[in-house]
Amino acid sequence: MNIVVLDYGVGNLFSIKCALERLGAIVHITPHLSKKMDFNGIILPGVGNFTHAAKHLTQNIEDIMNAVNKGLPTLGICLGMQLLFENSEEGYEDGLKLLSGKVLKLPKNLKTPHIGWNRIKIKKPHKIVEGVADNSWVYFIHSYYPKPNKSDICVAEVEYGITFPAIVAERNIFGTQFHPEKSGDVGNRILKNFLEFCKR
Amino acid sequence: MSLAKRIIPCLDVDHGRVLKGTHFRDMRDIGNPVELAKKYRDDGADELVFLDITASIEKRKTLIEMVRNVASNLDIPFTVGGGIRSVEDVKMILSNGADKISINTAAVENPLLIKELVSRFGQQCVVVAIDGKRKVKENGEIWFEVYTYGGTKPTGLNAIEWAKRCEALGAGELLITSIDKDGTKSGYDLDLTRMIAEAVNIPIIASGGCGEPKHILDVLTIGKADAALAASIFHYDEYPIPLVKRYLKENGVNVRL
């Protein structure tokens, strides 16, 4: 199975690559999707900042939109999840607008970034959380959080002073605010579940 | 608040090998960073810190190889620190799989490096390490002075003020080490961590002086730290991580178990 990890030009993509390879995927890290490529799923990784990454993605937007609209499973991780929404308080660039809603800064009274292991509360059954127990620990590191317009895309939520989505899913589009590649066995299970979607 | 307090073992690395203090009975190769990292991961470590103390020209090469090997095998976050001086150093370490880097001397000498790293790589991966030493003013008031070059060079900087400056420059986290307590096993410097934790609104990792689980409990409660870093108590299997975490939980601290 071939998975594309989109490279916005900065940071650690090696960890997500290794995590997917340990699960048997063949991983291609690339700055641009090409029509010639044959792949089963897309990952928008979770490193960098919103403006920079959004700028990068807009150069490439048609190919991404085509792939996603064809039904290709797409997983956004942390910043990658935030990029799926319309816009963010982190930057003035638009997001991909694949999901309806925006990204907000965590309230000032909270220690920011939200760093460390926190528990997710599963809101509805979904294949992306198959085998994941309610209240599982996963690893977060972020200063902004998603606020979807439709609450039913929230598969799991987390509480850090406020409550916000930890996992969202709509059609073939998935997002995690935490880092599954850094969340031990629970994270591996979620990545495995994503790869199951890619197999179809 | 459901965010867990973090327990972070620290490993000293020289030429890509883990140094001293790592005497687990059932390990084949006690100097191997990958094996140690996996053992700590299985024990329930929340993150790991690798501190590179290699003092030679092949430094960067051995470190990068180690980072890559650890990242290939580890599914929890890890930070790399020790002698990081430039944007280029950071880029190499992050692109080979580290999640965060910590800078110390280079940040004091060039505070704008913090800002530059944050804008290039994101706030989440920039940890500033502050080594503080307890001083007493003539009027009897205590303060903490920042030292650089592995705790050998006084800078005249007040640790609390420096911590605030680091926050303003965009640091994502602070790793606070008490020079007085480091290696003593007599407990963390609770004043140092508490004063900094109260002065800034970013997470604080406390370091230096841990000798028993009670010390970790104290620094996470009285010392107001978000995470506790320790080396020897874990390395010798004196107090395995699960035991420490159960003790913390029994005493009301939210930990990942």
Side-chain angles (χ1 to χ4, degrees):
Chain A
M1 191 177 356
N2 289 285
I3 303 295
V4 166
V5 174
L6 282 174
D7 181 1
Y8 328 124
V10 288
N12 172 12
L13 302 181
F14 190 64
S15 299
I16 181 68
K17 179 175 188 276
C18 292
L20 294 165
E21 284 174 352
R22 286 194 292 266
L23 293 166
I26 298 161
V27 180
H28 309 271
I29 295 180
T30 170
H32 300 288
L33 291 182
S34 105
K35 292 185 181 68
K36 280 182 233 148
M37 277 184 202
D38 184 23
F39 50 88
N40 313 88
I42 305 174
I43 303 258
L44 300 173
V47 285
N49 96 358
F50 191 92
T51 303
H52 181 91
K55 259 188 198 156
H56 180 92
L57 290 179
T58 49
Q59 299 164 14
N60 200 11
I61 196 143
E62 267 183 44
D63 291 329
I64 296 173
M65 290 304 179
N66 282 340
V68 176
N69 290 333
K70 265 197 315 199
L72 208 68
T74 301
L75 171 64
I77 295 172
C78 195
L79 171 69
M81 173 217 220
Q82 298 175 359
L83 288 162
L84 298 170
F85 288 91
E86 292 161 50
N87 53 50
S88 168
E89 288 184 348
E90 191 182 4
Y92 48 84
E93 293 283 327
D94 280 348
L96 292 172
K97 303 181 180 176
L98 287 163
L99 297 175
S100 158
K102 53 194 168 190
V103 177
L104 305 175
K105 189 157 180 41
L106 285 167
K108 279 206 168 64
N109 62 321
L110 300 172
K111 271 200 190 198
T112 310
H114 170 216
I115 298 183
W117 297 79
N118 206 332
R119 288 170 184 274
I120 53 172
K121 186 103 201 113
I122 294 175
K123 300 302 287 178
K124 65 174 191 187
H126 194 290
K127 291 254 187 234
I128 196 73
V129 287
E130 200 170 274
V132 175
D134 197 18
N135 286 313
S136 287
W137 293 101
V138 292
Y139 188 83
F140 290 85
I141 181 158
H142 65 114
S143 301
Y144 296 81
Y145 69 97
K147 190 157 177 61
N149 289 337
K150 290 185 281 182
S151 61
D152 64 340
I153 71 166
C154 177
V155 173
E157 63 184 23
V158 64
E159 188 260 314
Y160 180 62
I162 56 170
T163 300
F164 54 87
I167 304 176
V168 293
E170 189 175 51
R171 306 184 310 274
N172 53 320
I173 303 163
F174 307 90
T176 64
Q177 182 53 69
F178 55 89
H179 285 264
E181 77 281 17
K182 290 289 160 182
S183 297
D185 295 334
V186 173
N188 287 326
R189 182 60 206 246
I190 291 166
L191 291 174
K192 186 167 172 269
N193 291 343
F194 173 70
L195 293 179
E196 288 298 321
F197 282 98
C198 300
K199 273 184 194 162
R200 289 171 196 175
Chain B
M1 206 66 90
S2 50
L3 180 67
K5 298 277 187 179
R6 287 170 283 154
I7 302 301
I8 307 178
C10 178
L11 305 162
D12 286 350
V13 176
D14 188 8
H15 289 86
R17 305 276 300 164
V18 177
L19 276 191
K20 73 169 185 189
T22 41
H23 296 295
F24 294 114
R25 250 161 285 138
D26 48 357
M27 281 185 56
R28 276 173 295 146
D29 179 0
I30 54 172
N32 182 334
V34 174
E35 282 205 35
L36 272 164
K38 282 161 83 174
K39 175 183 163 47
Y40 281 133
R41 179 261 191 222
D42 292 344
D43 273 1
D46 295 306
E47 290 181 24
L48 298 176
V49 168
F50 291 92
L51 190 61
D52 187 35
I53 57 165
T54 312
S56 72
I57 44 169
E58 9 17 313
K59 180 184 173 82
R60 192 174 297 166
K61 190 169 152 268
T62 58
L63 180 64
I64 295 302
E65 274 170 22
M66 186 210 77
V67 169
R68 218 174 159 78
N69 281 334
V70 170
S72 308
N73 290 284
L74 195 66
D75 54 11
I76 61 168
F78 70 100
T79 303
V80 174
I84 295 173
R85 311 287 308 182
S86 66
V87 173
E88 201 47 41
D89 289 346
V90 171
K91 194 177 171 193
M92 284 297 284
I93 291 170
L94 293 179
S95 63
N96 280 285
D99 299 285
K100 313 182 210 177
I101 54 86
S102 85
I103 48 169
N104 186 333
T105 303
V108 173
E109 292 180 347
N110 173 20
L112 291 179
L113 178 62
I114 300 172
K115 204 170 178 175
E116 197 179 345
L117 293 176
V118 168
S119 72
R120 295 235 356 211
F121 305 106
Q123 182 189 27
Q124 77 290 341
C125 60
V126 181
V127 181
V128 179
I130 301 178
D131 293 347
K133 197 172 169 68
R134 191 178 271 261
K135 299 282 161 106
V136 185
K137 288 182 191 164
E138 276 174 17
N139 64 9
E141 207 180 299
I142 62 153
W143 70 290
F144 293 90
E145 184 175 2
V146 176
Y147 276 58
T148 50
Y149 292 94
T152 58
K153 190 181 167 202
T155 64
L157 279 174
N158 180 315
I160 314 298
E161 296 310 314
W162 173 233
K164 287 196 220 170
R165 177 108 196 268
C166 293
E167 179 185 32
L169 289 164
E173 259 179 308
L174 300 175
L175 168 58
I176 309 297
T177 302
S178 159
I179 295 172
D180 309 286
K181 291 289 199 165
D182 203 22
T184 65
K185 295 192 151 206
S186 62
Y188 297 89
D189 192 321
L190 302 179
D191 293 326
L192 175 63
T193 55
R194 182 183 43 78
M195 285 161 79
I196 293 181
E198 286 174 350
V200 299
N201 201 30
I202 52 178
I204 302 294
I205 305 164
S207 155
C210 183
E212 54 180 277
K214 172 79 162 56
H215 296 153
I216 296 182
L217 174 64
D218 288 345
V219 84
L220 295 176
T221 53
I222 305 162
K224 297 193 171 177
D226 301 284
L229 180 138
S232 50
I233 80 159
F234 301 135
H235 292 344
Y236 293 99
D237 244 349
E238 252 173 275
Y239 297 101
I241 295 169
L243 181 142
V244 171
K245 284 194 160 180
R246 274 196 301 275
Y247 168 81
L248 292 170
K249 191 172 185 188
E250 282 160 19
N251 284 280
V253 177
N254 183 27
V255 287
R256 179 178 67 111
L257 264 176

